[in-house]
Amino acid sequence: MGAGLSLDYERIAHARNAAASALETAVSASFHPDGRIDTGRARELYASSLDLPHGQSSTMPVFSRSADGALKVVVTTATRLTLGGIILPKTFYSAVTYTVGEANPS
């Protein structure tokens, strides 16, 4: 069972890393020269560049401003847990947040 959980951890980490990379790329490529962001374009780029295997998915990016005015973008990845190669009905959810201007999504 421990080996199964470690494999799921790798799958969960892969989903988070893939989403973080796609999110950062999509947001960075969606800025206008005047500093505005085209959120529709960012969502399209995110959806077209994110490639997750069967049993994993992600929400579309949600944009918001924090109290200090920073632009934050959040997606949530979902990874169906497995046991011996069989996908179980349990799902692990993990939020990925990207704050524009920071180096790495968390």
Side-chain angles (χ1 to χ4, degrees):
M1 182 147 165
L5 290 176
S6 68
L7 289 176
D8 280 341
Y9 177 77
E10 287 180 23
R11 291 177 62 238
I12 291 165
H14 168 76
R16 281 187 52 81
N17 292 340
S21 177
L23 187 60
E24 183 174 9
T25 299
V27 170
S28 296
S30 298
F31 276 99
H32 291 280
D34 65 4
R36 292 179 301 116
I37 186 166
D38 183 340
T39 58
R41 176 174 158 71
R43 287 183 180 104
E44 287 174 12
L45 289 172
Y46 179 77
S48 67
S49 65
L50 183 64
D51 185 25
L52 294 175
H54 180 71
Q56 293 182 317
S57 61
S58 172
T59 61
M60 291 302 290
V62 175
F63 294 81
S64 65
R65 292 253 177 223
S66 62
D68 65 359
L71 177 63
K72 291 192 175 218
V73 190
V74 178
V75 296
T76 301
T77 61
T79 301
R80 298 284 302 271
L81 300 182
T82 61
L83 181 61
I86 299 170
I87 296 178
L88 302 173
K90 297 285 185 186
T91 302
F92 183 87
Y93 297 95
S94 182
V96 178
T97 303
Y98 175 65
T99 301
V100 175
E102 290 185 1
N104 297 309
S106 59

